[in-house]
Amino acid sequence: MRTLTTMLTIAMATTALQAAPPTADDWWTTMGRYQGDHILKDGESGDVIGEFSVEWGVPFQRLNYRYHSTGGDVATTMTGFCHWDETLGKVRFVEVETGPDGLVTSVGELADVDDATLTWNIRSWTEKEMVRSFQMKDVFGSDGVDRSIEMKSGKAMPTSFVWTPVNRFQRAFPIAERLVGTWNFTDNGQAKIAKVEWGPGKETLVETTHIVGADGKTTEDSTVTYMYDRVADRVRMHFMGANGSSGWATPLVGRMDGTTTMELAWRGRNAMGQRIAASGFRKLDGDTMTLAMSEFELEGAPVPAGPAREAMTAPKVLTRAKK
């Protein structure tokens, strides 16, 4: 059975594409290679000419994409989708573009798949006439896609482009690299270890905290996943505790006294389903990170003063382990 996990694994892989022509059952494994955000460059000059975004509109069924130009005398925008055409028995895309040629519709059919190369036959026309017919080859490499154009007929166009992947997670959260590592700390007398690791494609971070027993054995205590919110263009953090509590926060990164800070407003629920909230603050200074929590609330009411609140609000100083 196909799953989203399977789809994402295929989409993020960097190994060679299947050489056999895609079928109705597996075409999405080939097309998933286009998924993501890309900067488009002119192959001759190297100038950035636009940005492409490709994502699954309906997993395994329809791949949506959009493009907008940057610079130039006439702005160009494009939107389209790619799918398996049952009638043709081929992968097909349809797109609409507005730009120097006016309103142009293009239809492309996947003609050949050879290792890391996809070959497309494409026709473009306006409401009045055929604009051009051409063949397009996309060669996938570890650092992007090299695209070449061979004109068949009609109005000429640039003959080479380069797609360079854009990591929107890192662009929205530039301190991610500095968090990666193993951090040792003590939480109210209990030794703990926090490991911050990259997810696939360095497009997420996973921060896992373990309790360290007297015998050196570790027990998972909590997991925080950092991920990119495409709609808001922000990074979100999701917390899941071993005690059943969970919550969300949006990190606000800033600077204070020469150090990097993160402010967090956590909202979620505990294992009993009660609403919980807290404010978090992190200060990152080289190989030292200080964590502090405050303003704990349960069902909208402040947690009363006492040993429990003192334990929750006690600052924690993490030290990065040397490699």
Side-chain angles (χ1 to χ4, degrees), residues 19 22 24 68 70 86-87 90 97 102 111 128 144 162-163 189 191 216 219 222-223 264 278 294 297 308:
H68 67 88
T70 56
E86 292 287 356
T87 303
K90 294 181 179 181
E97 173 187 316
K128 296 181 179 180
V162 177
W163 288 34
T219 304
S222 65
T223 299
L264 306 163
S294 62
E297 294 182 358

Side-chain angles (χ1 to χ4, degrees), residues 1 19 23 51 66 69 74 97 110 143 156 167 189 191 206 214 219 222 244 247 250 269:
M1 180 177 178
T23 67
E51 293 189 8
R66 57 191 178 275
S69 63
V74 180
E97 173 187 316
L110 184 59
D143 56 353
N167 191 314
V206 180
T219 304
S222 65
T250 300
R269 293 186 180 272

Side-chain angles (χ1 to χ4, degrees), residues 37-318:
D37 299 301
H38 313 268
I39 290 175
L40 188 66
K41 298 180 181 179
D42 182 277
E44 298 295 330
S45 66
D47 294 338
V48 175
I49 58 176
E51 293 189 8
F52 246 106
S53 292
V54 185
E55 60 189 351
W56 287 101
V58 180
F60 315 114
Q61 297 181 39
R62 189 184 74 244
L63 196 66
N64 295 343
Y65 59 92
R66 57 191 178 275
Y67 167 81
H68 67 88
S69 63
T70 56
D73 297 329
V74 180
T76 299
T77 60
M78 176 219 298
T79 183
F81 67 93
C82 180
H83 68 120
W84 176 262
D85 189 304
E86 292 287 356
T87 303
L88 293 175
K90 294 181 179 181
V91 179
R92 183 173 183 259
F93 72 76
V94 179
E95 65 188 33
V96 177
E97 173 187 316
T98 58
D101 296 322
L103 184 63
V104 177
T105 300
S106 296
V107 174
E109 297 174 6
L110 184 59
D112 188 36
V113 177
D114 181 13
D115 292 330
T117 302
L118 271 66
T119 302
W120 299 86
N121 291 326
I122 303 167
R123 293 172 294 123
S124 304
W125 62 89
T126 65
E127 60 181 4
K128 296 181 179 180
E129 60 183 355
M130 178 73 73
V131 178
R132 61 180 63 89
S133 174
F134 59 98
Q135 187 174 83
M136 179 175 76
K137 286 190 177 183
D138 288 340
V139 180
F140 287 80
S142 60
D143 56 353
V145 182
D146 289 328
R147 170 169 290 179
S148 59
I149 303 295
E150 181 182 342
M151 295 300 302
K152 299 298 184 181
S153 64
K155 187 176 180 179
M157 62 182 292
T159 57
S160 65
F161 304 92
V162 177
W163 288 34
T164 302
V166 176
N167 191 314
R168 293 195 181 275
F169 172 78
Q170 292 188 44
R171 189 163 71 176
F173 195 57
I175 70 168
E177 183 75 53
R178 296 169 59 194
L179 295 175
V180 174
T182 300
W183 302 81
N184 299 309
F185 67 106
T186 301
D187 183 0
N188 292 291
Q190 173 64 61
K192 293 186 176 183
I193 293 177
K195 290 186 177 181
V196 184
E197 303 172 293
W198 286 113
K202 291 189 174 182
E203 295 182 332
T204 58
L205 280 182
V206 180
E207 176 183 308
T208 308
T209 299
H210 288 79
I211 297 171
V212 182
D215 58 359
K217 294 184 178 179
T218 60
T219 304
E220 186 170 317
D221 185 45
S222 65
T223 299
V224 176
T225 304
Y226 301 69
M227 62 196 80
Y228 177 66
D229 182 339
R230 293 179 63 91
V231 175
D233 192 27
R234 300 292 301 275
V235 166
R236 310 294 192 191
M237 297 168 65
H238 179 257
F239 170 86
M240 179 65 73
N243 60 3
S245 61
S246 64
W248 289 90
T250 300
L252 300 178
V253 179
R255 297 282 294 177
M256 179 184 294
D257 299 327
T259 61
T260 299
T261 61
M262 271 201 310
E263 296 182 47
L264 306 163
W266 289 101
R267 299 292 184 271
R269 293 186 180 272
N270 60 20
M272 295 179 287
Q274 297 170 306
R275 290 180 295 113
I276 54 177
S279 294
F281 183 80
R282 296 191 180 195
K283 184 170 67 173
L284 181 61
D285 187 6
D287 291 332
T288 300
M289 181 163 54
T290 304
L291 278 59
M293 299 291 289
S294 62
E295 301 178 22
F296 280 94
E297 294 182 358
L298 180 63
E299 289 292 344
V303 174
R309 192 174 74 176
E310 291 177 4
M312 290 188 292
T313 58
K316 305 168 185 61
V317 179
L318 287 67

